[in-house]
Amino acid sequence: MEDSNTMTIIRADTAGIPHCAHNDKERELIHVDCASHIYPDGSVGIHDMCFYVQKNEIVALCGPNGSGKSTLIEHLNGLLTPSKGNIAVNGRSITTDEHTNLWREVGVVFQQSDDQLFAPTVLDDVMFGPLNLGLSLDAAKDSAMEALEAVGAADLVSKLPNYLSGGQKRLVSIAGILAMKPRIIALDEPTSDLDPVHSGMVEHLIYDLKERFGISVVIATHDLDLAARIADRICLVRQGSVFAEGAPAEIFYDEVLLRETGLKPPQIVQVYLAYCQMRGIVADYNPITIEETMEAIRRQ
Amino acid sequence: MSATSLSDHIPDLNLITYYAETRRTCFSRVSPWTKFSLLILIIFLVTLTKDFIILAGLYSIVLGSYAGARLPVRKLFAWYALPVIFVLSLVGIMAWNEPGNAVISFSIAGIPFMLTDKGILLIITLLLKALTVVTYSLFFLMTTRYQHFSAMIYRIFPSPIDQIFLMAYRFLFLTLAMTGSIIKAVRSRGGGLIHSIHTQGQLFAEIFALVFIRSFERSERVHKAMIARGFSGSYRTAAEVPALHLYEYVILGICAAVVITVALNDITIWRIVTP
């Protein structure tokens, strides 16, 4: 996140039409190009959605309930196909048939782990994806064990998913995706319903996915504190499209933008702004983590 | 009663699985294939024989094994409620006016009713048959780890029946937990107490409908999560079922011989051992 203070905010124009940011095409893994999706009941899931993921980055999709975050994630994985617009992988637009193979590129960790863990044992569940990739039973087992070790859940291998705690279920869900070795992992509300300890473990794991495994991560979350701590880029989603995007340090200090999106700044930002107001100083630096905030206060 | 148990008289799936996963006795080390084969033999035996002594002996052995495996006997007797009600609802009519010595007799509107010693024996015999199979099935489930059980299902049943079984078991837990929390929510607001049959019936119908709708929604989410990992119609389990030891082959051979002898000769074990 070294360049987090240098990225500029790109936002929808005055007519509300968003623009795809001029990202680095060399690093681009997947690009949702002005896609729209209308559900069979006529409700609009996303419209004119422009979104991309680059190599080795963590992108946070932040927005209120029903803003289209989950619908976008389902498009990334190929669970939904856009009614309008298209999706490009590695710079090439994919055909309708190829949508069904997007799961090989983008793994999704769903919000409710109980919906994801369906197999009789943890090992069976984590092996499910690798077997679908065409791996042999032994190779799938090895891949599953490797993934379980990576998330620190190797001791759960023969357990029944029913007897796992919420945090363990979330770790196993992530292992189930990691075992498939996708290039991007999208997590829908990864820390919801978790206690602080497990929440911290999942957060650390998300960071590890990028740093250790070189996997790009997309998180859809209401937890702006989490997004502030780990994301390289924030996309504010409102009414089915990306309303603005930029570095956390810029987005989370733009109170007007957050208010327009229906969000509140992360607590650390609120504390720092309150501190600056109390001391009567103008913040010339936008800290977004505890360490950065401590440093900013120390410098004053 | 655990969180997912609806009644003391309905076998608690959570408790059954807890024993299977945690309780380690000599019966846990027996191959699941042996226990399954014995279940088949027991079903054959109780179907073929009407001999009270054989049935009583078999029930005693099964109950003794259940207790020997350190499984909860008091719970078992509570769980007998449903099979007993089922058997009595069937035999309650058949047992009357059986030929034999009258034990109870009376008449209603000129129609004579007589319960004979043979009628009572019929009730006891059928109860023994039912309870033997129920007890052994629970013993089998409570001494077999689920990963072995699922591997057996995967090997025995053809697709898609095996897939349905494998997924159904996992989601039975979730459905029971969901039903439990709905009932709790109803009770917490004063519901669930018997005011009238009509009110109670309506309440249960509403709970049933809610469970059905939520289960349907969950199944859609589960399917979506499976598709997201490339599900193409089938999945397999990795677990291996422990193979039979030599002594298990011997036990199975003896048991099979006993069942065949009973089936072919229609004579009691008592007559075999004391000619």
Side-chain angles (χ1 to χ4, degrees):
Chain A
M1 290 189 291
E2 293 78 13
D3 59 347
S4 62
N5 274 302
T6 60
M7 205 184 277
T8 53
I9 296 176
I10 299 163
R11 53 181 296 171
D13 63 20
T14 47
I17 305 298
H19 296 290
C20 281
H22 297 292
N23 59 307
D24 181 356
K25 295 285 176 192
E26 288 292 307
R27 287 182 61 207
E28 186 180 280
L29 290 176
I30 194 162
H31 190 150
V32 178
D33 191 9
C34 294
S36 299
H37 186 86
I38 298 165
Y39 285 107
D41 65 359
S43 60
V44 178
I46 54 173
H47 74 88
D48 297 308
M49 174 68 84
C50 292
F51 176 75
Y52 61 91
V53 183
Q54 294 184 326
K55 281 177 193 162
N56 213 32
E57 71 166 348
I58 299 176
V59 189
L61 290 165
C62 303
N65 288 335
S67 57
K69 303 186 297 291
S70 300
T71 307
L72 172 60
I73 282 181
E74 290 182 13
H75 276 82
L76 295 178
N77 177 267
L79 281 169
L80 294 175
T81 47
S83 323
K84 210 176 81 183
N86 61 62
I87 295 174
V89 176
N90 295 325
R92 187 178 67 84
S93 287
I94 57 170
T95 61
T96 311
D97 291 343
E98 286 171 324
H99 276 286
T100 52
N101 279 323
L102 272 175
W103 61 273
R104 293 170 186 272
E105 301 282 336
V106 186
V108 175
V109 178
F110 289 85
Q111 186 176 354
Q112 297 293 330
S113 301
D114 275 331
D115 296 339
Q116 191 164 329
L117 305 178
F118 69 93
T121 64
V122 165
L123 178 64
D124 285 331
D125 202 276
V126 180
M127 276 175 50
F128 177 70
L131 285 171
N132 289 331
L133 283 170
L135 268 63
S136 68
L137 188 64
D138 287 339
K141 259 187 199 172
D142 291 344
S143 192
M145 283 310 300
E146 206 179 300
L148 283 167
E149 274 164 23
V151 303
D155 55 324
L156 305 175
V157 64
S158 59
K159 295 255 185 204
L160 274 68
N162 197 52
Y163 294 114
L164 304 181
S165 68
Q168 288 172 328
K169 282 179 187 169
R170 194 62 54 87
L171 293 176
V172 172
S173 300
I174 296 173
I177 300 301
L178 185 60
M180 296 163 69
K181 298 185 171 64
R183 300 174 77 187
I184 301 168
I185 294 183
L187 301 102
D188 198 356
E189 299 292 352
T191 55
S192 65
D193 304 330
L194 296 187
D195 59 55
V197 173
H198 282 103
S199 187
M201 284 169 76
V202 170
E203 183 179 326
H204 189 258
L205 181 57
I206 291 171
Y207 201 69
D208 258 8
L209 291 175
K210 177 194 152 192
E211 293 297 319
R212 270 178 64 197
F213 301 99
I215 296 171
S216 297
V217 180
V218 178
I219 53 170
T221 183
H222 300 290
D223 186 351
L224 298 195
D225 290 283
L226 168 76
R229 285 192 297 271
I230 63 171
D232 299 310
R233 187 159 55 90
I234 305 292
C235 290
L236 294 180
V237 185
R238 192 184 68 168
Q239 294 171 357
S241 55
V242 172
F243 175 61
E245 69 164 85
E250 290 171 337
I251 293 278
F252 291 143
Y253 275 86
D254 193 332
E255 286 185 90
V256 177
L257 195 63
L258 289 176
R259 205 177 309 122
E260 283 178 45
T261 317
L263 299 169
K264 279 183 175 178
Q267 284 192 334
I268 194 75
V269 173
Q270 291 182 40
V271 168
Y272 183 67
L273 289 175
Y275 170 80
C276 290
Q277 197 178 12
M278 187 184 73
R279 296 283 303 271
I281 53 176
V282 178
D284 58 346
Y285 171 64
N286 295 347
I288 49 164
T289 62
I290 291 176
E291 294 76 23
E292 287 174 5
T293 308
M294 294 296 286
E295 178 61 22
I297 291 171
R298 196 184 59 79
R299 281 198 300 190
Q300 288 161 6
Chain B
M1 198 162 73
S2 77
T4 56
S5 172
L6 303 177
S7 158
D8 279 338
H9 299 293
I10 297 173
D12 183 350
L13 197 62
N14 245 325
L15 189 70
I16 288 170
T17 313
Y18 170 79
Y19 275 100
E21 295 299 312
T22 59
R23 191 58 54 93
R24 298 268 78 87
T25 63
C26 58
F27 295 105
S28 318
R29 288 190 289 275
V30 175
S31 168
W33 289 121
T34 306
K35 284 182 268 191
F36 178 69
S37 307
L38 285 173
L39 175 63
I40 303 289
L41 288 174
I42 285 172
I43 291 170
F44 265 117
L45 191 58
V46 299
T47 309
L48 294 171
T49 188
K50 287 180 181 172
D51 193 297
F52 176 75
I53 295 171
I54 291 179
L55 290 170
L58 183 64
Y59 175 68
S60 304
I61 293 168
V62 171
L63 187 61
S65 305
Y66 183 94
R70 293 190 286 128
L71 301 174
V73 177
R74 202 175 289 180
K75 283 262 179 214
L76 176 73
F77 290 141
W79 292 340
Y80 278 167
L82 287 181
V84 167
I85 289 169
F86 178 72
V87 169
L88 291 182
S89 65
L90 291 176
V91 192
I93 302 164
M94 290 160 58
W96 292 94
N97 297 337
E98 272 278 304
N101 302 317
V103 178
I104 304 167
S105 63
F106 56 90
S107 66
I108 299 174
I111 303 167
F113 288 93
M114 185 172 62
L115 187 62
T116 64
D117 52 352
K118 290 269 177 63
I120 293 172
L121 191 65
L122 177 70
I123 294 172
I124 296 171
T125 305
L126 290 177
L127 274 175
L128 280 175
K129 287 184 178 198
L131 297 184
T132 301
V133 175
V134 166
T135 308
Y136 187 80
S137 301
L138 287 166
F139 165 81
F140 175 38
L141 286 174
M142 293 167 93
T143 56
T144 306
R145 294 192 71 179
Y146 183 60
Q147 55 175 323
H148 299 149
F149 189 64
S150 63
M152 289 175 76
I153 289 171
Y154 179 72
R155 279 162 185 75
I156 293 172
F157 293 101
S159 183
I161 297 171
D162 61 336
Q163 313 283 304
I164 293 167
F165 263 104
L166 290 176
M167 278 191 271
Y169 190 83
R170 162 94 178 99
F171 286 97
L172 267 178
F173 284 112
L174 296 174
T175 307
L176 284 172
M178 182 168 65
T179 312
S181 38
I182 293 173
I183 290 173
K184 258 187 219 166
V186 168
R187 282 180 179 155
S188 70
R189 286 177 287 162
L193 303 171
I194 294 179
H195 301 297
S196 69
I197 292 174
H198 175 71
T199 314
Q200 197 71 3
Q202 197 175 17
L203 186 69
F204 279 127
E206 283 168 3
I207 291 173
F208 178 78
L210 199 56
V211 168
F212 181 80
I213 291 166
R214 287 193 185 174
S215 301
F216 187 77
E217 287 169 353
R218 182 183 288 278
S219 69
E220 284 190 331
R221 293 200 301 272
V222 171
H223 183 247
K224 195 188 273 185
M226 292 172 81
I227 296 286
R229 286 197 281 167
F231 178 61
S232 56
S234 73
Y235 80 97
R236 60 163 304 167
T237 174
E240 296 292 335
V241 187
L244 281 74
H245 297 101
L246 183 63
Y247 74 88
E248 293 176 47
Y249 283 109
V250 174
I251 291 170
L252 275 180
I254 293 169
C255 292
V258 170
V259 173
I260 291 166
T261 307
V262 171
L264 291 179
N265 301 311
D266 194 27
I267 55 172
T268 64
I269 287 179
W270 183 251
R271 283 179 193 148
I272 296 169
V273 292
T274 56

